[in-house]
Amino acid sequence: MLGTEPMDFVRITMETIVGFAALFALTKVLGKSQITQITPFDFIAAIILGELIGNALYDKEIGISMILFAVTLWGILLYTIETITNKYRKMRKPLEGSPSLIIRRGEIQKDLLKEAKLDMNQFMHLLRDKNVFSIQEVEYAVLETNGTVNVLKKFIHQVPTNEILNQTPKSVELPISIISDGEIVDENLKEISWGLEDVEREVEQQGLTIQDIMYAEWTQEKGLYVMPY
């Protein structure tokens, strides 16, 4: 680079090595081995810590001692939070949050879903991450503090598997979401044998309108499954 002295490269190299070593040591002290285990606060804290190091590397007025000071101070703050949450149970909820029972006995808790800032598309994505493709399979679903969902399936959908029971193989259907948050999912409607009129007729027979429905999914075998608000 023009105007860059050789000493600048040496300084940046030394500060990068020191910053890398400090971050590595800090992650070991805090015990964060997997990013999927951290809470949103931990994730944001990690980003800010990276910004502190990154900005310091290219500022000639900031030396190694300042980098170590910033990392150490930030590490002390994070370690203090970890210590408080480990030692005082009552502080865990305000500092770390608490799990939410989004589905209880097969029913979606709409207030908790709204509180978690999740729409049905996002929630179904989390369920599919757990190999759950139909909301009808779920007895309980817990939204954890790190944003993942853990699922307890209904008894009929739990193991033993069909292979163990020596069941005759059958084709498997993928449930298709047709209504989400009171609106027709047009692109999915094209994937099923029903038309819009069929869906509206089925909904009307159940004494509802499209706007009354929080979520509805369709399979060839069972037809339209509706979950109203």
Side-chain angles (χ1 to χ4, degrees):
M1 290 182 296
L2 296 177
T4 302
E5 299 179 1
M7 288 300 296
D8 289 334
F9 290 105
V10 175
R11 177 185 60 80
I12 292 175
T13 300
M14 293 299 298
E15 290 180 353
T16 300
I17 293 173
V18 171
F20 177 84
L23 289 176
F24 182 81
L26 184 59
T27 56
K28 290 297 182 182
V29 171
L30 296 177
K32 294 291 186 280
S33 59
Q34 296 180 1
I35 194 168
T36 55
Q37 296 176 340
I38 67 176
T39 65
F41 172 78
D42 295 324
F43 180 66
I44 293 172
I47 292 176
I48 293 176
L49 182 58
E51 284 292 315
L52 289 175
I53 300 298
N55 292 334
L57 294 179
Y58 298 100
D59 192 332
K60 295 182 179 181
E61 298 182 0
I62 297 179
I64 291 177
S65 59
M66 291 185 177
I67 293 176
L68 290 176
F69 174 77
V71 173
T72 301
L73 179 59
W74 195 255
I76 290 173
L77 294 174
L78 293 178
Y79 186 77
T80 300
I81 295 296
E82 293 289 334
T83 302
I84 291 174
T85 55
N86 286 331
K87 190 173 182 180
Y88 302 103
R89 183 176 59 85
K90 292 182 178 180
M91 295 301 296
R92 293 174 187 171
K93 185 174 182 179
L95 292 177
E96 291 185 341
S98 60
S100 300
L101 194 60
I102 298 295
I103 296 181
R104 181 194 297 269
R105 298 191 182 279
E107 295 291 332
I108 291 184
Q109 308 302 300
K110 305 172 189 66
D111 55 336
L112 296 180
L113 192 67
K114 184 177 180 180
E115 184 179 314
K117 304 295 189 298
L118 284 175
D119 58 37
M120 283 304 302
N121 287 339
Q122 293 170 322
F123 185 56
M124 290 303 300
H125 171 77
L126 294 174
L127 290 180
R128 288 192 292 271
D129 279 343
K130 297 297 181 180
N131 291 323
V132 175
F133 289 85
S134 173
I135 206 167
Q136 299 176 69
E137 299 177 12
V138 182
E139 186 73 6
Y140 294 96
V142 180
L143 179 65
E144 306 292 355
T145 56
N146 63 358
T148 61
V149 166
N150 285 313
V151 173
L152 178 62
K153 292 184 177 182
K154 294 178 180 178
F155 176 79
I156 196 172
H157 298 292
Q158 295 181 13
V159 292
T161 63
N162 288 325
E163 182 180 9
I164 295 175
L165 296 176
N166 197 27
Q167 294 290 310
T168 303
K170 298 172 61 177
S171 61
V172 177
E173 282 192 78
L174 177 65
I176 300 175
S177 60
I178 300 301
I179 302 174
S180 179
D181 297 313
E183 296 182 359
I184 292 286
V185 185
D186 294 319
E187 58 270 24
N188 289 351
L189 191 61
K190 301 175 183 178
E191 302 295 328
I192 68 175
S193 59
W194 283 17
L196 178 58
E197 296 80 6
D198 299 307
V199 174
E200 291 176 338
R201 187 183 308 113
E202 176 65 24
V203 169
E204 186 177 347
Q205 288 177 357
Q206 299 189 33
L208 300 168
T209 65
I210 300 297
Q211 291 73 26
D212 295 330
I213 298 173
M214 184 177 187
Y215 180 77
E217 64 184 23
W218 183 92
T219 60
Q220 183 68 45
E221 181 180 355
K222 298 181 179 179
L224 193 67
Y225 171 77
V226 173
M227 181 174 289
Y229 282 105

